[in-house]
Amino acid sequence: PGLELCAGLPQVEAFLDHWEKERRDLDYDTDGIVIKVDSRSERDVVGATSRSVRWAVAYKFPPEGRTTKLLDIVVQVGRTGVLTPVAVLDPVEVAGSTVSRATLHNFDEIMRLDVRVGDTVWVTKGGEVIPKVVGVVTAERAPDSRSYAVPKRCPSCGTQVEREREEVALRCPNRECPAVVGARLRHFVARGAMEIEGLGGRLLEQLVESGMVTDEASLWDLEAEKLAELPGWGELSATNLVAELDEARGRPLHRLLFALGIPHVGERAAKLLAGNFGSLEVLARAEVDKLEELEGIGQVIAAAVTEWLADASHKDLVARLAERGVDPSEESADDRRASEFGG
C-alpha cells in the first residue's frame, strides 16, 4: 500500500500532494516519502557516494507548526563548551506531542529571527522530531519588549566566552567548568560510549558535587564503601556500580574513542579509526596525513584527532585511564594483513 510507479516528475508531485493530505488518516505517523529511480541501468549511471546512493531521496513533508508564548531563553553548556540557547515555551501540542522546550540553534539565529522573551513564536519539529522555533508573530509583540542580550560570560562558571574564527558558536574555554565536566561525563557513560547504566544524570551530578568524580579516569577510583555512605546510596547499589565499572574496562576501543568526545568523531569515525590503528597508543603516533588516507576520515576529523591526542591534558587523561585498566585494543588493518600472509 502506498507504492506507486510514476512516469515522470509531474506524477511524483501529484503523489506527494495526495499523501500530504491523506497521511493524517493512516494508522501510523509518517514524515515523508522515499522516491527512487526505477531503472537499474539509470541507477548505475547516477551512482552513489560513500555514504548513500544518488538514485534515491527522502522527501520530507513541510513540518506542522503551532504558535505559543516564549516564556524564557535559557543557555545550556555542552561537553565541548558550546553555549546553546533553548526556548522555554508555554506548552503546546505539535505533531502529536506536547512541546515545552525548543532549540534556538545559536545566538546568530536569535538575532536573525529577533526572538524576544514574551513573544508569540512559531514552533515546528525538524524532521517531525526535534522542536525548533522558526519565526515570530511580531504583530503580537509587547511595545516594551527588549532585544535578547547575547551572554558574554558562561552561565555556569562565569568565564568570558569566546568565538573562534569562522565559527558560529560561542564557547566557554574553561575545561574545568562544572557544566562542561558534567556534560562530558554524561556523554562518556552513555549508551554507545562506555555504557555505564548505573550512572544516570542525577547520580553522576551527585558524584561530581561530592568531589568523588572529577574526570573520566576518576570513575575507576570509586570505592563501594565510600559510595554506600552517600545520601540515597546503599551497599547493593554501590557494589553494583563498581562491578559495572569493572566490566566497562572490557569495552572495545571504538567505544572508548567515541566516549572521549573528540570533536567530529562520532560512532562511525571511531570504528574506522579503531579498526585501522588498533590502539590509542598507535593512533596517537599517527601523522595527520596517515589519517586523511582513510576513506571516511577527511581533513577536519584527521586534524581534530591529532590535535586532541597531542594536547597535554588529554595525554594525561589517556595515561590515567590506562593505569586503571581502561586501555582497550582492537585488531587493526595491519594486524589483519599480517595474519593473512602468515606474518
Side-chain angles (χ1 to χ4, degrees), residues 155-190:
S156 177
C157 67
T159 302
Q160 187 167 336
V161 297
E162 298 175 353
R163 175 179 285 185
E164 294 183 15
R165 186 177 298 176
E166 298 182 3
E167 267 200 4
V168 173
L170 293 179
R171 193 183 301 270
C172 173
N174 178 15
R175 291 179 177 176
E176 305 306 317
C177 171
V180 172
V181 173
R184 201 173 67 223
L185 286 166
R186 285 193 295 274
H187 172 76
F188 187 80
V189 303

Side-chain angles (χ1 to χ4, degrees), residues 132-337:
K132 59 182 180 178
V133 174
V134 295
V136 179
V137 184
T138 54
E140 297 183 16
R141 173 174 286 166
D144 60 347
S145 72
R146 295 183 178 183
S147 297
Y148 179 77
V150 176
K152 296 181 179 180
R153 295 189 173 276
C154 172
S156 177
C157 67
T159 302
Q160 187 167 336
V161 297
E162 298 175 353
R163 175 179 285 185
E164 294 183 15
R165 186 177 298 176
E166 298 182 3
E167 267 200 4
V168 173
L170 293 179
R171 193 183 301 270
C172 173
N174 178 15
R175 291 179 177 176
E176 305 306 317
C177 171
V180 172
V181 173
R184 201 173 67 223
L185 286 166
R186 285 193 295 274
H187 172 76
F188 187 80
V189 303
R191 184 172 296 177
M194 296 304 280
E195 197 165 338
I196 303 167
E197 293 184 0
L199 279 178
R202 186 183 62 79
L203 296 178
L204 193 57
E205 186 177 321
Q206 182 187 26
L207 293 177
V208 173
E209 288 177 353
S210 71
M212 295 177 71
V213 172
T214 55
D215 65 5
E216 295 86 341
S218 67
L219 289 168
W220 281 271
D221 293 333
L222 293 172
E223 299 174 3
E225 294 80 6
K226 292 183 179 179
L227 282 171
E229 296 172 359
L230 292 173
W233 289 74
E235 187 176 334
L236 180 60
S237 57
T239 302
N240 286 343
L241 176 58
V242 171
E244 271 194 70
L245 286 163
D246 187 50
E247 182 185 352
R249 287 188 173 95
R251 301 278 189 260
L253 174 60
H254 70 265
R255 296 271 290 272
L256 176 59
L257 271 173
F258 175 59
L260 287 171
I262 301 171
H264 309 296
V265 176
E267 292 182 67
R268 181 174 175 274
K271 287 180 180 178
L272 281 171
L273 293 168
N276 279 275
F277 293 96
S279 72
L280 277 173
E281 182 182 358
V282 175
L283 179 59
R285 294 199 304 265
E287 299 290 337
V288 67
D289 294 345
K290 184 73 172 176
L291 271 64
E292 289 180 17
E293 290 174 5
L294 299 178
E295 185 175 349
I297 302 293
Q299 291 181 343
V300 173
I301 296 177
V305 171
T306 52
E307 287 173 14
W308 195 95
L309 289 169
D311 182 272
S313 65
H314 296 150
K315 283 183 177 180
D316 179 65
L317 172 62
V318 170
R320 291 177 60 242
L321 283 166
E323 287 170 2
R324 288 153 179 78
V326 186
D327 188 20
S329 60
E330 291 184 20
E331 187 181 36
S332 69
D334 289 342
D335 292 335
R336 288 191 293 274
R337 283 191 291 269

Side-chain angles (χ1 to χ4, degrees), residues 29 64 66 91-100 125 128-129 131:
D29 292 331
E64 177 185 347
R66 292 285 187 273
V92 61
E93 187 166 318
V94 182
S97 66
T98 301
V99 173
S100 59
K125 284 186 178 179
E128 307 244 341
V129 177

